[in-house]
Amino acid sequence: MQRSRAPLLSRFLAYVAAPLLVAYLGLLLVTTYLAQQDLQVATANERRLELEKRAAALSYFYSERRSDIARLASDRALTVFFSNRALGMSMQYGLRASLLSMQGAVEQLLRSETIAGRPLYLRILILDTQDEVVLDVGAPAGAPPPAVDPVPAMPGQVSLRVVQELEGDRVLLTQPVEDRGQRLGAVVAEVSHAEALRSLVQTPGGRPCMVLLARADGAAPSPELGAADPKGGQGARAGEIQVPVADTPFVLIAPNGSSESAGLLVSGRYLGLLAGLAVVVLLVLVIGIRDGSRNLALSIRYEEQQRQSDLLNRQNERLEAEVAQRKKSEAFIRTLVETLPDLVWLKDLSGVFLFCNPQFARLYGLDTTDIIGKTDLDLRGAHQAAAFLRDDPGAIAAGQAGPDEEQVTFAGDGHQAVLETIRSPMYDADGHLIGILGIARDITDRKRAEERLRTLSQAVEQSPVPVMITDPRATIEYVNAAFERMTGYRRDEVLGRNARLLKSGSTQEAVYQDLWGTILSGQGWHGELEDRRKDGSVLCIRSHISPVRDDKGQISHFVGLKEDITVQKQQERKVLHQAHFDALTDLPNRFLALDRLAQLIREARRQAALVAVLFLDLDDFKTINDTLGHEIGDQVLVQAAQRLRSGVREVDTVGRLGGDEFIVLVGDLRDPANARGVAEKLLRGFRESFRVGQRDLKLTASIGIALYPADGETPAELLRRADMAMYRAKEQGRNTYQYFTEALNRRLARRLAVEEQLHGALERRELSVVYQPLMELGSGRIVGAEALLRWQSPVLGTVEPGEFIPMAESSGLIVPIGQHVLREAAETVVAWRRTTGADLVISVNVSPRQLSDRGFAPDVARLLEHARCRGQWLRMEITEGVLLAARGEIDDALQGISALGVHLAMDDFGTGYSSLSYLRRHAFDWLKIDRDFIADLGVDAATGELVSAAIAMAHGLGLHVVGEGVENELQLRGLAERGCDLAQGHLIGLPVLAQALPTELLARPSTDSAAQATPTLAKQPMDIDAVGRPGSKTPPTPPALDHSRHTADL
Amino acid sequence: MPRRSALLRPILQLVPALLAAWLTPLSAAGPARDLDQIQASGVLRHLGIPYANFVTGMGSGFDVELVKGFADSLGVRYEFVDSTWSSAFGDLTGRNAQMDNTGGVQWRDEVPIRGDILASGVTILPWRQEIADFSAPTFPTGVWLVARAETDLNPIQPSGSTQRDIEEVRSALHGRTVLAMEDTCLDPDLYRLRDTGATVILPKQDIKLNEIAPAILNAEADMALLDVPDILIALEKWPGQLKVIGPISEHQFMGAAFRKDSPRLRQAFNDYLERIRHDGTYHNLVKKYFATVFPYYSEFFQPPPD
């Protein structure tokens, strides 16, 4: 069975299986050949793909270098240097600082960029526009500057050039430095090319290179890659793959790998062999079948590789695009985040910092690299960190947290800041939560400003000073509460309205022009305005308005501070009025009147016009005051003022100088006679009685007129001369007017001279006392004398008592002069009595002013005591006028004198009121009949009767009588016949100095009658001169009689 | 309220000044003190005026940190006292003074003493040395003439001699307007500026030194005197807009000023200064506040050899 089966099997194998086997082998051989071809293509593609990846890496490497150089070229230090250098500045004065700053930037780049632990940049140069080297960092000592590219065709682009040198290629990157489109210079950097190639191009593990780098321009490839021969040219050679490196002048070259797979290729020669080996094949049939399966798998693998290759290519392209885009975005975002003044950080969900910008790192005084990887617990105190850790989940839950404010202290410089922080969850592209993003902003300044603003707002709002703020067009934008109180306007009533709402119309337009001119020029304005309250009342305010400028320097607002000075202004006006107007009559006072006179003079000077000054004094007004009281007097003054006011034009001035003196100023006169009409009109105004209470009072006035420029050119001069003219009018009988004349002026000059010389006359011993004898008519005996004052001035000559005594009275000099006379008289009478032994008495005239002095009687007492003179030896003669005043001090003085024993005589009896009551009330011993009566004695019978009556009356009252002014025998006899006691006059004796009166005359007792004595006496005067010098042969000049003799015979 | 806030914000500068005229009281005086009294009182009062990066006015600055460190070294509290250039020496010594036109001191009214040390980028000048004692130099400086870029005056080329350079700059000033500032290191009388025929402009208001450069850019004058630290910062800040014409002064130094009756305080400060120059603190301070100036004067800023 087995034997029969074997041939069958052999035949089967020989006729069936063998051909099948051979066919199968043939088919297998062809299939294998084809698969092998496919494998070669796949290998080449795989090699190309690998090569493209490396080319992309190399391209990216150089793109980063470009970024480095571009960043360096745009570094501010370079811009600063070139900008300042372009201005011509020297290195020594300013430029060196920029250069050093620039050098710092370059060195920073050199230090920061490394590859495989070695510097990436070998050398960086800064060139100017002439390609002169400004800065060369990293070059070996003495190395020449490299030849650089001309300016790149595209501004702002970095050129990359390979320079072939003996030791190999060097890659130079050149970037222009520009500012605002202007080329300032260039940055040239030399890259460590070999290092880049080793890292990026060589296969891992440093296996001998199967990849070559070549220059696209056909130059020699880099020798750093070692084994390969130089090859170049365009297009790949058989068995090679070439891939250009984008944006560089390089290509990568590698064998395509076909030789590796070519060794298994089956040729036609071997087919026969294979057929002959069919048995062998048969034997290895199983193996052959299995190989078929392998071929199939190989084919499938090829298909898969092809598909993968395509996919990888596409992915690679997309990846490259994404990488490029992402790099751009990342660079942009990194620059953005790093230059943001805000603090930015990112934490993962466990609180670990994934990112922060330098501003955030500064908070801790650290670098960003020190922050990343740490948590809040590592960086902050536990308490604060806990707060953060607590807040972060809240931010995630809410989708956002904040803004929160926190006070932090920067660890770097220690300054404190307020940060406003916002936290928000961060998600990746798939929407997965990846962490928490934090952004914090330093709001310290804002907070301070807000705080200050809040404080100031409250201060302004609560300020007691009214504040108003407007826009530049004066539209009110703000007022405070004090403003509301001051004006009565509510805030809502004024906001949005123009500030002219407050204008009262009382302020002069010039003030507003000044105000606006000042504040629009940017200056503050101070001043006073009159505004109007809401109720219409006028409000005086002191205002301070200042412009406020905005950031651009433009005026944006005006701030007005106001102060209500209404009451103050009212008081000022009142004070001003009081200072210029008479309180009683409301007429201008002396000050204002003279001021107006000065104005009138100025105007008149310009217009060549005249000004009349009318000085008006009410006649006998003093009597009204004294008799009816001051209240009545005041009413009279008020009415007089009204009449004066109505008697002149509106433009004329009526003023009150004081008391009952008024002044009327009439300007713009063309003729001096015009003043006459004014004066007459004024006097006419007084014709009507003054009705005061129930009384009708008659009153007149006297007016003096002075004219500018004839009578004076100053107000004081004109006033004084009008005053003089007024006195002249008084002298002329009152109720009239008088122009100032030169005669008046001369009188005034004389008066001034006399007054001036009178002062000191006593001290200069110019005043002397003379004595006129008094004769007792019954016995003819000289019983005394009257002391009389004489003034011999070396300047004025002899000045009559009638002229200087009134001046002494008015000036008060009469008091010391009177004392002097009293002292002289007392001493004289003591001397006379001692030398003669006769009972002599000296009469002395006493002035009202002396009697008004409360110390008068005591002074007299001391004086008498000092002279050892008894009171009875003196007789004081007092005029009736003294008694009219009837003042208490005069009564006291008279009583005091009487108490001293001094005799009192009433002088000038008959010329005044001759009131007998005075004689009775006071202790008078003597009565002196005025010389006017004596002069007519013996001539006029009526006078003789009057004298007789007066003597009889005096005797009836127990008084003795003296007749003065006896100048002839007739008068002497008349007095003697009427029983007069004593006589005095030229007939009896002229006034002489004390030592000149013959002692024997005084001492001689006489029992003769007056008639008998007369011849003797009549001879005496012939021996005495006017000043009492005995023995003079010149007859004395009789003293001139004076109207005011009653006050002049001291 | 936002409207009112916006409205009131511009007047922040103005209203206080106006209200102050009504309301402001005067500050109290303090007695002169040396080291012992300062340590006993526990406080060191630092007089400063906001100026460049010496005193920023924000609680920081080169001199602020310098004096803070000094106060720490003394174990006392630091207190900053704000002053002005015209009153700073009065605040220190109790009597105001200014330079007269001969370069000497013109004494003025007596005022309360408000501080113990004046450190604010104060240049050491002869007239100031008559008023106060100065520490060892804390900072190098000098005064240069700066101009707006478009000014037709060109920077000088250094001759190798500062004095010759100064003369060259001065000879170019005739008929020019130069901004200067009295009572400071930029006082025109310090450099006899008026002798050059230049028209000297003094600021209308009490501006700060670091406002001089902006004033030039603002065309308030053709040129200005300015100290070197300020210039270097300004050149970096406004590149191409300002140019240095050349020097007006020789090399100068800044220092801290002390009352003449505080010799021990001054000595303590000098000791402190020497310490921090050696330990690097001073070096870091300069780099922190004057990064630009540091390389320029690097020789001065290096710690002295032991």
Side-chain angles (χ1 to χ4, degrees):
Chain A
M1 267 306 277
Q2 288 180 341
R3 219 179 265 179
S4 62
R5 286 180 185 172
L8 283 176
L9 181 60
S10 300
R11 275 198 301 273
F12 175 76
L13 288 174
Y15 296 110
V16 178
L20 287 174
L21 183 61
V22 171
Y24 172 74
L25 286 174
L27 181 62
L28 182 63
L29 194 59
V30 171
T31 305
T32 303
Y33 177 78
L34 291 176
Q36 200 164 344
Q37 288 292 321
D38 291 341
L39 188 59
Q40 282 178 354
V41 172
T43 305
N45 284 342
E46 191 176 16
R47 184 63 52 85
R48 172 176 292 277
L49 189 60
E50 180 68 26
L51 208 57
E52 283 175 350
K53 282 182 182 175
R54 296 181 185 192
L58 196 59
S59 175
Y60 177 67
F61 169 80
Y62 278 109
S63 75
E64 281 202 319
R65 300 292 74 75
R66 281 193 180 88
S67 297
D68 290 344
I69 302 308
R71 201 159 47 244
L72 178 62
S74 62
D75 192 284
R76 186 170 177 78
L78 272 70
T79 312
V80 170
F81 173 80
F82 281 112
S83 298
N84 291 335
R85 187 174 187 259
L87 295 174
M89 290 194 328
S90 62
M91 284 289 180
Q92 183 175 349
Y93 298 120
L95 210 52
R96 190 156 64 91
S98 303
L99 180 68
L100 291 168
S101 180
M102 185 168 73
Q103 184 174 348
V106 171
E107 288 173 346
Q108 171 67 23
L109 180 61
L110 279 177
R111 279 194 304 274
S112 63
E113 296 298 334
T114 59
I115 187 164
R118 300 174 65 179
L120 202 154
Y121 292 102
L122 302 175
R123 182 181 187 184
I124 296 179
L125 299 96
I126 309 293
L127 308 178
D128 63 12
T129 49
Q130 278 76 44
D131 291 337
E132 293 292 326
V133 175
V134 176
L135 185 68
D136 189 352
V137 181
V148 297
D149 273 347
V151 180
M154 292 294 289
Q157 283 192 345
V158 180
S159 77
L160 189 150
R161 192 167 65 91
V162 180
V163 179
Q164 187 176 15
E165 294 184 353
L166 292 176
E167 66 274 23
D169 283 354
R170 293 185 299 124
V171 174
L172 296 182
L173 295 146
T174 306
Q175 165 74 35
V177 179
E178 296 172 338
D179 184 35
R180 284 167 282 191
Q182 185 181 358
R183 185 167 182 265
L184 303 174
V187 177
V188 178
E190 183 180 333
V191 177
S192 176
H193 187 52
E195 294 296 339
L197 292 178
R198 281 193 196 97
S199 301
L200 298 172
V201 178
Q202 277 191 337
T203 52
R207 188 161 57 88
C209 171
M210 57 176 290
V211 179
L212 300 178
L213 181 70
R215 297 255 300 274
D217 57 1
S222 174
E224 290 87 345
L225 300 178
D229 292 332
K231 293 176 182 174
Q234 302 297 320
R237 291 162 35 134
E240 282 183 354
I241 304 169
Q242 289 192 9
V243 176
V245 180
D247 300 326
T248 74
F250 304 123
V251 291
L252 290 183
I253 304 173
N256 61 13
S258 58
S259 59
E260 296 171 18
S261 56
L264 294 176
L265 188 62
V266 178
S267 67
R269 222 174 19 177
Y270 292 106
L271 288 176
L273 180 62
L274 286 175
L277 294 175
V279 175
V280 177
V281 173
L282 187 61
L283 291 176
V284 295
L285 183 62
V286 175
I287 299 170
I289 292 170
R290 195 173 58 192
D291 286 346
S293 301
R294 284 181 179 173
N295 284 342
L296 187 60
L298 194 61
S299 176
I300 293 169
R301 180 184 163 199
Y302 164 72
E303 291 295 333
E304 180 61 22
Q305 280 182 340
Q306 190 67 35
R307 195 180 61 80
Q308 289 288 342
S309 176
D310 291 344
L311 184 61
L312 276 172
N313 278 336
R314 285 196 300 276
Q315 284 179 343
N316 195 35
E317 287 170 3
R318 191 170 67 244
L319 195 60
E320 283 180 355
E322 281 180 6
V323 165
Q325 182 61 35
R326 186 167 295 174
K327 284 183 188 304
K328 278 177 67 178
S329 299
E330 282 179 355
F332 175 74
I333 290 170
R334 185 168 59 242
T335 305
L336 185 69
V337 171
E338 289 181 352
T339 53
L340 264 180
D342 295 348
L343 285 59
V344 181
W345 69 93
L346 177 64
K347 290 189 280 190
D348 67 13
L349 295 175
S350 58
V352 175
F353 282 95
L354 301 175
F355 168 80
C356 72
N357 67 352
Q359 286 73 10
F360 180 82
R362 200 162 60 86
L363 175 62
Y364 300 102
L366 300 171
D367 290 333
T368 54
T369 51
D370 299 327
I371 301 283
I372 293 168
K374 292 190 171 61
T375 67
D376 285 317
L377 284 167
D378 301 324
L379 299 171
R380 304 176 191 248
H383 179 74
Q384 204 171 15
F388 277 102
L389 294 172
R390 190 175 57 247
D391 291 344
D392 288 347
I396 294 170
Q400 180 174 315
D404 300 318
E405 290 179 9
E406 56 178 331
Q407 180 98 20
V408 299
T409 301
F410 280 78
D413 55 12
H415 87 267
Q416 289 199 327
V418 180
L419 298 181
E420 184 182 68
T421 305
I422 298 175
R423 297 177 181 81
S424 61
M426 192 164 178
Y427 300 91
D428 63 11
D430 298 328
H432 298 122
L433 179 66
I434 59 171
I436 299 166
L437 177 68
I439 300 176
R441 172 164 294 176
D442 185 346
I443 58 167
T444 310
D445 290 343
R446 195 179 84 198
K447 292 296 288 181
R448 284 182 186 151
E450 286 175 358
E451 184 60 33
R452 201 160 58 230
L453 178 64
R454 187 159 46 250
T455 306
L456 287 170
S457 296
Q458 290 173 353
V460 171
E461 185 62 28
Q462 297 170 10
S463 166
V465 179
V467 178
M468 178 176 78
I469 300 173
T470 73
D471 69 4
R473 301 168 67 88
T475 303
I476 300 172
E477 294 193 354
Y478 171 79
V479 295
N480 67 353
F483 178 94
E484 291 180 308
R485 290 194 296 273
M486 182 180 78
T487 62
Y489 282 107
R490 290 195 318 274
R491 194 164 301 183
D492 58 345
E493 292 174 323
V494 295
L495 294 186
R497 300 188 63 181
N498 194 284
R500 75 172 70 93
L501 158 81
L502 301 169
K503 284 176 74 170
S504 67
S506 304
T507 306
Q508 292 182 350
E509 202 52 38
V511 176
Y512 288 112
Q513 288 173 2
D514 175 50
L515 185 159
W516 280 104
T518 304
I519 61 177
L520 287 176
S521 71
Q523 308 293 315
W525 181 86
H526 307 258
E528 294 177 359
L529 300 170
E530 290 194 2
D531 283 355
R532 189 180 296 282
R533 291 190 184 90
K534 184 181 176 183
D535 62 9
S537 59
V538 175
L539 179 68
C540 293
I541 60 165
R542 180 178 295 129
S543 187
H544 182 125
I545 302 174
S546 297
V548 180
R549 293 180 185 277
D550 59 17
D551 296 340
K552 297 173 184 170
Q554 301 295 318
I555 294 173
S556 63
H557 292 86
F558 294 116
V559 181
L561 303 186
K562 295 168 179 287
E563 182 187 4
D564 185 353
I565 55 168
T566 307
V567 174
Q568 180 187 337
K569 293 299 288 183
Q570 286 170 347
Q571 288 174 341
E572 282 177 8
R573 286 189 189 122
K574 188 176 176 183
V575 169
L576 198 64
H577 189 83
Q578 287 172 345
H580 291 90
F581 288 85
D582 175 48
L584 179 66
T585 62
D586 206 31
L587 290 177
N589 62 12
R590 183 186 191 89
F591 174 79
L592 181 58
L594 291 182
D595 185 56
R596 290 191 181 173
L597 177 55
Q599 289 179 31
L600 284 172
I601 289 172
R602 282 196 293 272
E603 289 170 13
R605 189 174 291 135
R606 284 197 297 273
Q607 299 169 6
L610 305 178
V611 177
V613 178
L614 286 77
F615 195 114
L616 187 144
D617 186 272
L618 302 181
D619 298 331
D620 290 327
F621 177 74
K622 186 172 182 300
T623 308
I624 294 175
N625 249 356
D626 290 345
T627 56
L628 302 177
H630 287 282
E631 287 186 7
I632 299 296
D634 286 350
Q635 292 182 44
V636 169
L637 287 173
V638 171
Q639 290 186 30
Q642 291 166 349
R643 292 188 190 189
L644 291 175
R645 184 66 261 173
S646 61
V648 295
R649 300 173 299 178
E650 192 65 32
V651 294
D652 298 331
T653 297
V654 176
R656 185 185 176 202
L657 298 176
D660 58 346
E661 293 177 342
F662 294 89
I663 188 172
V664 178
L665 307 174
V666 183
D668 199 23
L669 288 181
R670 296 296 160 187
D671 188 342
N674 295 147
R676 182 193 310 274
V678 177
E680 289 175 348
K681 188 176 180 186
L682 292 174
L683 291 178
R684 281 198 300 275
F686 283 78
R687 286 182 184 167
E688 290 290 325
S689 300
F690 285 76
R691 181 73 181 172
V692 182
Q694 298 303 315
R695 288 190 171 86
D696 284 328
L697 300 174
K698 291 295 290 182
L699 199 64
T700 60
S702 298
I703 300 175
I705 303 170
L707 295 166
Y708 166 85
D711 299 334
E713 297 196 346
T714 65
E717 196 174 12
L718 289 167
L719 186 67
R720 190 169 63 250
R721 295 191 161 182
D723 188 13
M724 288 168 59
M726 186 275 292
Y727 273 105
R728 184 64 183 156
K730 291 264 187 198
E731 288 172 3
Q732 290 187 339
R734 308 182 176 190
N735 193 24
T736 185
Y737 60 88
Q738 180 70 41
Y739 278 92
F740 172 80
T741 63
E742 263 314 305
L744 277 176
N745 196 28
R746 284 194 294 277
R747 282 178 58 181
L748 175 67
R750 170 69 183 180
R751 181 184 171 88
L752 290 175
V754 171
E755 282 181 353
E756 183 185 353
Q757 288 300 314
L758 187 57
H759 284 278
L762 187 62
E763 292 76 11
R764 295 193 299 269
R765 298 180 182 279
E766 294 170 12
L767 297 173
S768 58
V769 180
V770 295
Y771 298 90
Q772 186 169 37
L774 281 164
M775 187 181 76
E776 189 176 60
L777 286 171
S779 63
R781 188 167 58 97
I782 299 301
V783 295
E786 180 178 4
L788 299 169
L789 189 63
R790 293 292 180 266
W791 180 19
Q792 184 65 31
S793 165
V795 177
L796 304 171
T798 301
V799 184
E800 294 302 328
E803 186 176 10
F804 75 82
I805 294 291
M807 292 181 196
E809 284 268 6
S810 62
S811 66
L813 287 172
I814 196 67
V815 174
I817 292 173
Q819 284 284 320
H820 170 72
V821 174
L822 268 172
R823 191 181 309 110
E824 286 262 319
E827 290 169 355
T828 300
V829 73
V830 170
W832 281 353
R833 291 179 78 103
R834 187 169 60 243
T835 54
T836 64
D839 183 17
L840 299 171
V841 174
I842 292 182
S843 295
V844 182
N845 292 283
V846 179
S847 88
R849 186 72 177 261
Q850 285 175 281
L851 291 170
S852 299
D853 184 2
R854 289 192 176 279
F856 179 68
D859 285 345
V860 172
R862 280 191 293 276
L863 185 148
L864 292 174
E865 185 180 358
H866 184 263
R868 296 180 180 278
C869 175
R870 291 186 183 174
Q872 295 86 344
W873 298 350
L874 289 180
R875 181 187 301 121
M876 292 192 185
E877 296 185 1
I878 298 157
T879 61
E880 284 183 313
V882 175
L883 302 172
L884 283 175
R887 295 200 298 269
E889 61 268 23
I890 291 181
D891 290 346
D892 294 343
L894 292 175
Q895 286 176 11
I897 294 166
S898 294
L900 294 171
V902 176
H903 300 290
L904 289 179
M906 178 173 283
D907 201 2
D908 301 337
F909 185 79
T911 57
Y913 291 89
S914 301
S915 170
L916 297 179
S917 67
Y918 297 143
L919 296 173
R920 195 181 60 203
R921 196 168 77 215
H922 299 290
F924 283 99
D925 305 299
W926 290 84
L927 193 97
K928 199 167 184 178
I929 298 172
D930 189 75
R931 64 178 65 241
D932 288 351
F933 294 100
I934 305 303
D936 293 340
L937 201 61
V939 179
D940 179 26
T943 302
E945 291 300 324
L946 276 173
V947 172
S948 297
I951 292 170
M953 176 208 62
H955 286 163
L957 290 171
L959 306 179
H960 301 288
V961 181
V962 181
E964 61 178 345
V966 177
E967 296 182 352
N968 55 48
E969 292 291 341
L970 196 59
Q971 293 164 347
L972 184 65
R973 194 176 305 117
L975 286 172
E977 287 171 357
R978 286 173 176 79
C980 185
D981 300 301
L982 298 179
Q984 175 187 355
H986 291 173
L987 183 65
I988 297 160
L990 293 173
V992 293
L993 293 172
Q995 59 272 31
L997 204 63
T999 307
E1000 60 276 18
L1001 182 64
L1002 295 170
R1004 186 185 63 222
S1006 177
T1007 55
D1008 298 339
S1009 66
Q1012 291 172 323
T1014 303
T1016 308
L1017 288 168
K1019 295 175 186 171
Q1020 297 306 316
M1022 300 306 292
D1023 298 329
I1024 306 169
D1025 69 11
V1027 293
R1029 289 192 297 262
S1032 171
K1033 300 301 181 187
T1034 308
T1037 306
L1041 295 177
D1042 192 281
H1043 292 292
S1044 56
R1045 174 160 173 77
H1046 61 288
T1047 59
D1049 52 0
L1050 261 174
Chain B
M1 201 58 199
R3 176 176 167 72
R4 182 178 299 174
S5 300
L7 171 64
L8 287 178
R9 190 183 298 276
I11 66 166
L12 287 176
Q13 306 293 329
L14 189 58
V15 171
L18 295 174
L19 289 175
W22 268 267
L23 305 171
T24 303
L26 295 174
S27 58
R33 312 181 309 170
D34 200 356
L35 181 61
D36 296 339
Q37 289 78 15
I38 286 165
Q39 286 183 316
S41 70
V43 61
L44 177 72
R45 297 171 303 172
H46 171 205
L47 286 164
I49 307 109
Y51 164 38
N53 287 348
F54 293 104
V55 174
T56 65
M58 300 294 291
S60 59
F62 174 81
D63 277 321
V64 171
E65 290 204 30
L66 195 63
V67 181
K68 268 183 181 170
F70 178 46
D72 286 345
S73 74
L74 296 179
V76 297
R77 180 169 58 82
Y78 169 87
E79 183 179 302
F80 181 79
V81 180
D82 202 5
S83 186
T84 66
W85 285 110
S86 55
S87 65
F89 282 95
D91 290 340
L92 177 70
T93 65
R95 187 166 180 191
N96 277 326
Q98 64 185 33
M99 190 187 71
D100 64 18
N101 50 19
T102 66
V105 176
Q106 182 182 352
W107 292 101
R108 292 165 55 202
D109 52 321
E110 292 192 354
V111 293
I113 289 175
R114 300 173 61 223
D116 306 311
I117 174 173
L118 169 61
S120 195
V122 181
T123 303
I124 303 172
L125 298 170
W127 74 273
R128 286 175 173 169
Q129 286 175 305
E130 287 186 46
I131 298 169
D133 285 340
F134 279 85
S135 68
T138 57
F139 213 88
T141 184
V143 176
W144 290 349
L145 183 74
V146 290
R148 269 197 319 285
E150 61 268 27
T151 309
D152 60 354
L153 190 58
N154 291 324
I156 66 156
Q157 290 309 310
S159 66
S161 158
T162 307
Q163 192 53 46
R164 277 202 297 278
D165 292 347
I166 291 172
E167 288 308 317
E168 187 178 349
V169 173
R170 289 175 63 83
S171 66
L173 289 181
H174 187 80
R176 306 276 181 174
T177 54
V178 181
L179 190 62
M181 201 166 160
E182 285 183 323
D183 296 331
T184 70
C185 59
L186 310 183
D187 196 314
D189 291 336
L190 277 172
Y191 314 109
R192 297 179 293 103
L193 205 59
R194 293 182 176 90
D195 294 352
T196 63
T199 303
V200 175
I201 299 179
L202 300 172
K204 290 175 188 168
Q205 297 167 344
D206 194 10
I207 70 169
K208 299 178 177 65
L209 277 177
N210 49 7
E211 291 169 348
I212 292 275
I216 288 293
L217 294 176
N218 206 24
E220 291 178 24
D222 290 346
M223 48 195 73
L225 304 188
L226 201 55
D227 58 283
V228 174
D230 253 336
I231 286 176
L232 296 180
I233 289 172
L235 289 177
E236 190 187 15
K237 213 167 184 177
W238 296 288
Q241 297 184 57
L242 288 169
K243 58 185 176 186
V244 178
I245 304 300
I248 284 290
S249 80
E250 294 277 4
H251 207 58
Q252 296 176 329
F253 292 100
M254 296 172 175
F258 299 87
R259 281 184 296 278
K260 285 186 177 291
D261 57 1
S262 304
R264 298 190 60 235
L265 182 65
R266 174 171 165 270
Q267 185 56 48
F269 182 84
N270 281 342
D271 294 344
Y272 164 74
L273 189 62
E274 194 172 346
R275 276 202 307 280
I276 63 170
R277 289 190 70 140
H278 277 101
D279 70 13
T281 305
Y282 174 81
H283 186 276
N284 291 335
L285 261 184
V286 177
K287 289 192 86 167
K288 178 176 175 182
Y289 286 104
F290 292 96
T292 307
V293 185
F294 186 85
Y296 196 81
Y297 285 125
S298 56
E299 195 176 328
F300 176 89
F301 295 127
Q302 293 306 322
D306 289 324

